[in-house]
Amino acid sequence: MFRIRCPYCGERDQIEFGYGGEAHIARPADPDALSDAQWADYVFMRTNTKGLFAERWVHSAGCRRWFNALRDTATDRFVATYVIGEAPPLPVPQLVPGDQAPDPAEAIPEEAAGGGQR
Amino acid sequence: MTRYSFWSLLREGLRGHDGWQPVWREAEPKPAYDAVIIGGGGHGCATAYYLAKEHGLTNIAIVEKGWLGGGNAARNTTIIRSNYLYDASAAIYDHALQLWKGLGRELNFNIMMSHRGVLNLAHDDNEMRQLKRRIEANRLNGVEAEWLDAKQVAEYCPIINMSPQSRYPVIGASLQRSGGVNRHDAVVWAYARAAHDLGVDIIQNCEVTGLKIEAGRISGLETNRGTIRTPKVASVVAGHTSVIGAMAGLRLPIESHPLQALVSEPIKPVNPCVVMSNAVHAYCSQSDKGELVIGAGIDAHLSYTQRGAFPVIEEEIAAVLELFPIFSRLKLMRHWGGIVDICPDASPIISKTPVKGFYLNGGWGTGGWKATPASGHALADLVARDEPNAIAAPYSLERFTTGKLVAEHGAAAVAH
Ligand SMILES: Cc1cc2nc3c(=O)[nH]c(=O)nc-3n(C[C@H](O)[C@H](O)[C@H](O)COP(=O)(O)OP(=O)(O)OC[C@H]3O[C@@H](n4cnc5c(N)ncnc54)[C@H](O)[C@@H]3O)c2cc1C
Ligand SMILES: [Zn+2]
């Protein structure tokens, strides 16, 4: 079970939180201009990273605010949590489709990478 | 290959069981194969077997990063049924069910297939209507299914709490008598043994770390044991499908979640069938050893760690005790997690990809065990002919662009 640091309330048990999946998926600015393939990418395709991953959580049984987290999905270790609207404190692999994806192994600080393989 | 029989068992029994031979050889990776299957779970081993048997492709290999059948194959609750709502689902899951019926004999391996019946409980009028609709849809597709009223449910599975006072009273159930459970390890070993017998190389402790792609076409793969050249690669890696997909530059409609299960201490036979309930979200059967096999829902977060969080277990136990108060003082023996690859429409992907010669089988999520024979059969056909057959066609990657989803979420009952 996780202990998650809400940026507003501090560290609490996982049961106080709800999960919101991958973070930083921006709603298309001009929906009418999107092709079917672009819609498919926005609606269905996910990076599903093994390694450093940006995701959304909501502190449902606390302040009820949404925030973002960086977690290593290969070890379940939380690297950071941060307020919505802020940039992730570390570069995250494959934020946007088509973006240059940094090597996830390089992005994770030594102590956070733990023993997980990727 | 030595044939297994009553006589071979008797002979070995009398000789102290020291005459059994290994059933497959530990192969070293060859420099090249006609096709390579990534992933030695149930689906991967089945694919290799049907490729060799039905398409004569025997210069092929299964590469498995750990040991054979150590992934979801080893971790699932083995519920088998085919009473899905849509035509595309009925086609593949019922094909699997028909194959399961003769598989032990075909592979000369006791897979402990038990067609003990699967109950899907209804707890309110709406659920009853949904289940009856599903039964009618099943019958139109030639899938065996029937409705039991509350009295018949109590007769079929006497330990279910039928009290009208319970929080979610049981008012009826759909029953698929041919549904049931089998022995997960035996299925993997049976397919592997039969595939090996046809000449397939089985390479364990061999992790695929990269795909070699030249001019839009697959030409080989990188592994921790060297490079293997091959014109065809089939990825059958369940929870790691997105990881292999990314090696081919593909973004996939899949998210990997932990799914947990547990078993109780063994007790005398009390549960004669498989019981599933959507509303209380529980499913339970009893193994031949006597353990109650109980499955949970997925953990909400994505993870590759093969472990989930404790609150999910707590909820699961609460749900099971709602249905079976008789279990309340049992001890739990073991508890584990697997990583399941979930598609947005709760249906799998059996598909060609934009990379020629690279095929995907994944997205089976919480319920792919039951499909193992048909999944391997359809994928083998796709790999051999480079065209999907009628069963595989609806499960292409394109459906996420065209919108022609096979949306089994509502119809597929609880996660399993
Ligand atoms: C707790 C739990 C309960 C379930 N209950 C049911 C149920 O009751 N009924 C049902 O129908 N389904 C159920 N399922 C789902 C079912 O287990 C899966 O859909 C199915 O087993 C997946 O196919 P597989 O057997 O081939 O997967 P796996 O056994 O996971 O095989 C995939 C293999 O790929 C290997 N691999 C991954 N990456 C690499 C790499 N880079 N290189 C080489 N090899 C690699 C893995 O090591 C693994 O052995 C359950 C799953 C879980 C976790
Ligand atoms: Zn908070």
Side-chain angles (χ1 to χ4, degrees), chain A:
Chain A
M1 179 142 110
F2 302 153
R3 305 264 299 162
I4 303 173
R5 185 174 299 280
C6 169
Y8 305 100
C9 312
E11 197 174 71
R12 302 291 180 86
D13 270 358
Q14 180 181 353
I15 38 169
E16 293 189 12
F17 297 87
Y19 189 66
E22 187 170 338
H24 306 294
I25 300 176
R27 233 190 127 66
D30 183 5
D32 292 339
L34 255 52
S35 68
D36 286 355
Q38 285 167 319
W39 270 121
D41 195 88
Y42 168 66
V43 177
F44 294 124
M45 304 303 164
R46 295 292 177 264
T47 46
N48 197 22
T49 318
K50 183 174 184 178
L52 193 65
F53 182 61
E55 60 190 7
R56 302 177 301 177
W57 290 87
V58 56
H59 194 182
S60 317
C63 63
R64 300 177 64 188
R65 283 198 268 189
W66 285 91
F67 60 92
N68 290 330
L70 287 184
R71 184 170 54 93
D72 183 348
T73 59
T75 61
D76 277 349
R77 206 164 302 197
F78 279 83
V79 175
T81 52
Y82 53 102
V83 171
I84 297 268
E86 278 179 6
L90 291 172
V92 180
Q94 262 186 313
L95 267 187
V96 191
D99 256 18
Q100 272 301 14
D103 180 357
E106 278 168 20
I108 303 180
E110 203 54 43
E111 75 277 9
Q117 8 128 253
R118 60 186 64 79

Side-chain angles (χ1 to χ4, degrees), chain B residues 165-387:
Chain B
Q165 260 75 53
S166 69
R167 173 71 182 78
Y168 299 99
V170 176
I171 62 172
S174 74
L175 169 63
Q176 186 170 35
R177 290 182 192 271
S178 51
V181 289
N182 60 16
R183 171 88 190 141
H184 45 87
D185 295 329
V187 171
V188 177
W189 297 336
Y191 270 124
R193 171 172 170 263
H196 176 263
D197 197 43
L198 293 168
V200 176
D201 271 3
I202 294 170
I203 308 167
Q204 302 182 85
N205 298 311
C206 184
E207 177 168 4
V208 173
T209 52
L211 298 175
K212 291 176 88 69
I213 298 165
E214 286 164 27
R217 162 173 276 295
I218 202 102
S219 65
L221 29 82
E222 302 286 355
T223 77
N224 60 347
R225 292 170 67 179
T227 306
I228 301 174
R229 276 179 289 113
T230 177
K232 291 185 173 190
V233 172
S235 166
V236 199
V237 294
H240 278 74
T241 302
S242 298
V243 176
I244 299 288
M247 293 176 191
L250 302 177
R251 269 165 63 82
L252 297 174
I254 289 177
E255 293 191 303
S256 297
H257 291 267
L259 179 66
Q260 306 183 68
L262 35 129
V263 294
S264 74
E265 60 188 318
I267 52 172
K268 284 186 180 169
V270 287
N271 185 0
C273 58
V274 180
V275 182
M276 316 181 64
S277 160
N278 232 350
V280 306
H281 210 283
Y283 48 106
C284 175
S285 66
Q286 189 171 16
S287 75
D288 291 358
K289 277 188 284 184
E291 302 157 328
L292 295 163
V293 182
I294 297 166
I298 57 168
D299 280 62
H301 61 277
L302 307 197
S303 182
Y304 287 86
T305 58
Q306 298 195 121
R307 47 172 195 267
F310 202 67
V312 175
I313 295 300
E314 204 174 337
E315 259 172 49
E316 183 54 30
I317 295 304
V320 163
L321 293 185
E322 163 75 22
L323 289 182
F324 305 104
I326 181 181
F327 296 161
S328 66
R329 275 162 306 175
L330 282 183
K331 292 187 183 70
L332 294 174
M333 296 265 288
R334 294 187 304 282
H335 143 235
W336 63 88
I339 296 301
V340 294
D341 39 340
I342 309 257
C343 265
D345 60 353
S347 287
I349 296 166
I350 306 172
S351 183
K352 298 212 256 190
T353 67
V355 177
K356 290 208 174 52
F358 178 57
Y359 307 92
L360 269 185
N361 180 323
W364 290 96
T366 59
W369 181 254
K370 61 178 72 63
T372 303
S375 163
H377 194 268
L379 179 62
D381 208 55
L382 177 63
V383 171
R385 299 190 306 118
D386 197 41
E387 275 307 318

Side-chain angles (χ1 to χ4, degrees), chain B residues 35 41-42 53 65 84 152 223:
Chain B
K53 182 187 158 230
K65 73 171 173 175
Y84 283 67
Q152 291 167 312
T223 77

